[in-house]
Amino acid sequence: MVEMPHSSLHPSIPRHRGHGIQKAALVLLVACLVALWELGEPPDHTLQWLVCQLASLQLGLLLKVICSLAEELCHVHSRYQSSYWRAVRACMGCPIRRGALLLLSCYFYFCFPNMADLPLTWTLALLGLLQAMNILLSLQGLTPAEISAICEKRNLNVAHGLAWSYYIGYLRLILPGLQDRIRIYNLQHNNMLRGAGSQRLHILFPLDCGVPNDLSVADANIRFLQKLPQQSADCAGIKGRVYTNSVYQLLEHGQPAGICVLEYATPLQTLFAMSQDGRAGFSREDRLEQAKLFCRTLEDILADAPECQNNCRLIVYQESAEGSSFSLSQEILRHLRQEEREEVTVGSVGTSVVPSPSSPSTSSLSQEPKLLISGMEQPLPLRTDVF
């Protein structure tokens, strides 16, 4: 069974597309060459028919470009700033490359007059008929996979814009000062946020985009405690815009088991609302795909953001896929405990933190550490979903 590539955030989040289509085309090319060799076709005859097909293809594409240009010229002022050359480039791609291919095609077409006993006028009429049928009947329309690949390659997805907006308009503003706000909070509340997992902002990513305004609605074992000290900044003409984050307590078997700064990724509410509004033309399948791409894009952005390093953790989950026994509070606790283990693992390689034997594991990092210097040169890497 082939292992499917996926993001480290969640198994259902795909990674960027690779070069599978080019590899498949290469295999097809080799298979066709072997088949022609087995059939014993003369190479010059094969070359003639290949050139004929390429010439016909280029002439057909030229007719398609003319049809596309007829529509784009109606929008030359609004879409192309009154530049007819830009409209032509939009329809043809690179005019130099397209023109060179067309000239070569015409040259070879007339150099091999015996390839087809058809006059040029008849050939153009036939190609025009085929292109007209293709356009009217959408016989050569892009498949959903091709559209998705183009949108991802050129960053045209809804998820791409939402991820960058979320980072630039929110995370980039609050994450650099998060540690200072947590220290102030600890001074005011008897050092409550003291574990390794409590020093980060934990952002919840339900892939079904179900984002309630009250976390206790999602899980009764998640209880609001207090707010972190507010942060204010001038933004887009708004003086002293206030940003705030909430501290939650997590219960396990009715007892406090962890405390952390927690919130949902608010752009998921936009995706959910779009799927509920018919004007958006956004299906549930589109919502799930864009939610996954949103998580992956944000992961890529934060991985290259020095000001966000080690300040937040993305918790991605898909409740429907986990089954009826899924518990959000347990999923968050699992991440908190894993963060503490990662902190101890990294510390044990370079500067180890050795907890007191009598202290519980959930608070071991808040104890007075003992320093042990290891002989290893390189530290072990952290998980990629911690920024």
Side-chain angles (χ1 to χ4, degrees):
M1 183 176 179
V2 180
E3 184 179 356
M4 295 292 104
H6 56 79
S7 169
S8 60
L9 290 176
H10 195 272
S12 67
I13 299 179
R15 288 195 179 276
H16 296 279
R17 284 182 170 89
H19 303 284
I21 185 171
Q22 289 85 357
K23 295 177 182 177
L26 181 60
V27 172
L28 178 61
L29 173 64
V30 174
C32 292
L33 290 176
V34 171
L36 291 172
W37 180 75
E38 291 288 342
L39 292 173
E41 289 289 332
D44 57 340
H45 185 260
T46 301
L47 178 61
Q48 288 183 5
W49 277 104
L50 180 60
V51 170
C52 179
Q53 293 298 321
L54 290 176
S56 300
L57 178 61
Q58 292 302 316
L59 290 173
L61 290 176
L62 176 62
L63 296 176
K64 183 180 179 181
V65 165
I66 294 174
C67 294
S68 299
L69 185 60
E71 170 64 24
E72 296 307 305
L73 289 179
C74 299
H75 310 279
V76 67
H77 299 294
S78 59
R79 294 180 181 270
Y80 304 105
Q81 290 76 49
S82 301
S83 173
Y84 289 91
W85 178 245
R86 292 184 62 184
V88 171
R89 286 182 59 88
C91 295
M92 296 186 62
C94 178
I96 297 177
R97 182 176 64 88
R98 182 75 69 186
L101 289 174
L102 183 60
L103 289 175
L104 287 174
S105 299
C106 293
Y107 171 77
F108 286 117
Y109 186 89
F110 290 108
C111 282
F112 300 113
N114 297 324
M115 287 189 304
D117 299 327
L118 300 175
L120 179 60
T121 305
W122 201 96
T123 302
L124 290 176
L126 180 61
L127 291 174
L129 177 63
L130 292 175
Q131 286 299 327
M133 293 178 61
N134 286 334
I135 294 173
L136 294 175
L137 301 179
S138 299
L139 299 180
Q140 291 183 340
L142 296 178
T143 65
E146 290 174 325
I147 295 174
S148 175
I150 292 174
C151 290
E152 288 187 39
K153 184 177 180 179
R154 301 187 61 185
N155 297 324
L156 301 176
N157 281 299
V158 173
H160 185 80
L162 287 178
W164 275 101
S165 176
Y166 187 52
Y167 165 70
I168 294 175
Y170 179 62
L171 294 181
R172 192 175 66 172
L173 300 176
I174 68 163
L175 289 180
L178 181 67
Q179 297 294 330
D180 293 334
R181 294 164 61 206
I182 289 177
R183 279 192 287 270
I184 296 173
Y185 177 87
N186 281 332
L187 292 175
Q188 297 173 347
H189 297 87
N190 196 25
N191 201 30
M192 292 183 66
L193 295 171
R194 55 191 177 186
S198 300
Q199 302 300 310
R200 302 184 179 106
L201 172 64
H202 294 76
I203 307 175
L204 300 176
F205 285 81
L207 293 180
D208 62 358
C209 298
V211 178
N213 292 324
D214 188 350
L215 268 168
S216 62
V217 174
D219 193 322
N221 290 317
I222 304 177
R223 295 182 179 179
F224 172 76
L225 287 181
Q226 295 98 11
K227 296 179 181 179
L228 283 183
Q230 295 180 344
Q231 177 176 335
S232 62
D234 296 340
C235 180
I238 304 173
K239 291 295 184 179
R241 184 170 185 175
V242 175
Y243 299 88
T244 184
N245 301 97
S246 300
V247 180
Y248 285 88
Q249 184 180 62
L250 305 170
L251 303 180
E252 188 175 37
H253 306 302
Q255 300 297 322
I259 297 176
C260 65
V261 184
L262 187 65
E263 62 187 49
Y264 282 107
T266 52
L268 295 179
Q269 286 185 321
T270 301
L271 292 177
F272 186 84
M274 289 176 63
S275 67
Q276 301 298 307
D277 195 323
R279 296 172 298 176
F282 204 68
S283 66
R284 292 185 178 181
E285 291 76 16
D286 294 332
R287 182 185 72 195
L288 178 60
E289 179 187 13
Q290 294 301 312
K292 293 177 180 179
L293 294 177
F294 171 68
C295 297
R296 191 189 73 190
T297 304
L298 187 62
E299 178 188 20
D300 294 340
I301 294 172
L302 293 176
D304 293 327
E307 70 275 10
C308 301
Q309 294 296 323
N310 210 35
N311 279 338
C312 74
R313 188 180 182 104
L314 313 182
I315 302 178
V316 183
Y317 61 94
Q318 193 168 11
E319 187 170 349
S320 58
E322 305 288 350
S324 58
S325 61
F326 176 79
S327 170
L328 179 57
S329 59
Q330 288 298 313
E331 180 70 12
I332 299 170
L333 284 172
R334 183 180 68 83
H335 278 266
L336 292 178
R337 289 162 181 165
Q338 184 173 356
E339 289 176 69
E340 294 194 0
R341 289 194 298 270
E342 290 169 355
E343 197 78 10
V344 172
T345 301
V346 174
S348 63
V349 176
T351 303
S352 298
V353 179
V354 181
S356 170
S358 60
S359 62
S361 60
T362 57
S363 61
S364 60
L365 295 180
S366 64
Q367 307 297 322
E368 187 68 25
K370 299 179 180 179
L371 304 181
L372 298 177
I373 306 301
S374 171
M376 298 184 64
E377 295 182 356
Q378 298 293 333
L380 294 178
L382 287 173
R383 286 169 52 95
T384 58
D385 56 348
V386 180
F387 305 98

